[in-house]
Amino acid sequence: MPSDANVMPASARLRPVDPRTLLASLLLVVVASVATVRTLPAMLELFVFVCLWHAASARHAASVFGVLRRVLPFAAVIFVLNTVLVPGEALFRVAGHRVASVEGAHDGLFFALRLGVMLMSVALLLGATDPESLARGVHDLLRRVSPGLANRVAFFTFLSMGFVPMFVDEIARVRIAQSFRGGDFKGGMLHRAGSLRMWLVPVLMSAVRRSGELALAVELRDTRSRLVASIPAPRMRLIDGISLALVIAVMVAVSMER
């Protein structure tokens, strides 16, 4: 079952890795970007590291540019809003009034890089694993703590990742249908806002319907009870251990920068 998302180009499938080390590594990256990385240079280094990691897994740089192309509009909005709204020393003025601040530009770039780290991590997770292997990896990580919790979380992980390609496919269907009705995202801001309203209702209704169909299929096939037993156990290779050690070293380094 493919698991591409909007942040992930459909053709950019990454080299499969051990789901346990991948999940642990990406959790470390996300936690570090939120909790321990405090400076702009450190966040930039973390962002570059995740991009290089993604490029190495994909074995070509085009997949990274595909993800960045989707991240850039959101990062630009974050940067502009912080630059304009955060008070501080004037970055530039218009008619004697401060339009943008230095502190806002700094904060905007910092938060834009944090968003890039998170979305690049999501793209890496979706591209380098699949719902079945990730569910088994989550189960292996949690089964020593609580077998019941491990089964529930593994099942939830399987359903969550399995729903991603269904939802993306439904968005594509709605996009084609609405484009014939004049609901594309071309033209002025008011036209785009109206097009967005035309998209939201059918996409949300379709998401509810498709999620119900998926839940019914899972119950009819008795997937909950036999999910983990039907998936081969993952095997950690030397390269997986090396990559986890490298991620830990990078996280410690960028977290210690002040």
Side-chain angles (χ1 to χ4, degrees):
M1 181 184 297
S3 56
D4 299 319
N6 278 346
V7 295
M8 185 74 181
S11 60
R13 301 302 302 163
L14 309 187
R15 180 181 63 83
V17 298
D18 183 88
R20 297 165 296 183
T21 58
L22 179 65
L23 184 60
S25 300
L26 292 178
L27 285 176
L28 285 175
V29 170
V30 172
V31 170
S33 68
V34 174
T36 61
V37 178
R38 300 298 184 186
T39 65
L40 181 59
M43 187 64 72
L44 178 60
E45 292 169 5
L46 181 59
F47 176 72
V48 172
F49 171 74
V50 177
C51 290
L52 293 176
W53 184 8
H54 193 289
S57 299
R59 297 178 181 175
H60 56 82
S63 63
V64 176
F65 292 121
V67 178
L68 291 178
R69 181 169 57 86
R70 291 161 172 79
V71 174
L72 187 58
F74 301 99
V77 170
I78 292 175
F79 178 77
V80 171
L81 288 178
N82 278 271
T83 302
V84 174
L85 298 179
V86 173
E89 182 183 352
L91 181 63
F92 61 88
R93 298 176 181 271
V94 174
H97 297 282
R98 178 185 62 83
V99 177
S101 66
V102 176
E103 290 80 359
H106 178 277
D107 292 347
L109 185 56
F110 182 85
F111 291 126
L113 288 173
R114 175 182 287 174
L115 175 68
V117 168
M118 292 182 178
L119 293 184
M120 190 67 70
S121 300
V122 172
L124 184 60
L125 178 64
L126 295 176
T129 188
D130 55 80
E132 291 85 359
S133 61
L134 186 60
R136 184 57 192 259
V138 170
H139 181 271
D140 285 353
L141 289 175
L142 297 177
R143 62 186 175 88
R144 294 178 179 85
V145 178
S146 172
L149 177 63
N151 287 329
R152 290 192 292 270
V153 175
F155 182 69
F156 175 76
T157 302
F158 174 76
L159 285 185
S160 299
M161 287 195 66
F163 185 69
V164 169
M166 295 174 59
F167 191 65
V168 172
D169 179 65
E170 201 62 35
I171 291 177
R173 293 175 184 271
V174 173
R175 178 180 61 82
I176 294 174
Q178 294 295 358
S179 64
F180 284 106
R181 302 172 185 172
D184 54 11
F185 283 95
K186 298 179 181 179
M189 187 64 66
L190 293 178
H191 179 74
R192 295 186 181 186
S195 299
L196 180 61
R197 179 181 56 83
M198 294 173 61
W199 276 51
L200 286 178
V201 175
V203 167
L204 292 177
M205 291 181 62
S206 179
V208 173
R209 177 178 57 83
R210 296 294 291 270
S211 62
E213 293 175 353
L214 179 61
L216 180 61
V218 166
E219 292 298 329
L220 292 178
R221 297 174 183 176
D222 196 24
T223 305
R224 184 189 299 271
S225 60
R226 59 185 180 85
L227 172 64
V228 175
S230 63
I231 304 173
R235 295 183 178 181
M236 183 179 295
R237 299 168 297 177
L238 178 60
I239 187 63
D240 297 315
I242 294 175
S243 65
L244 179 59
L246 178 61
V247 169
I248 293 175
V250 172
M251 294 309 102
V252 172
V254 297
S255 299
M256 291 179 63
E257 291 191 22
R258 292 291 182 267

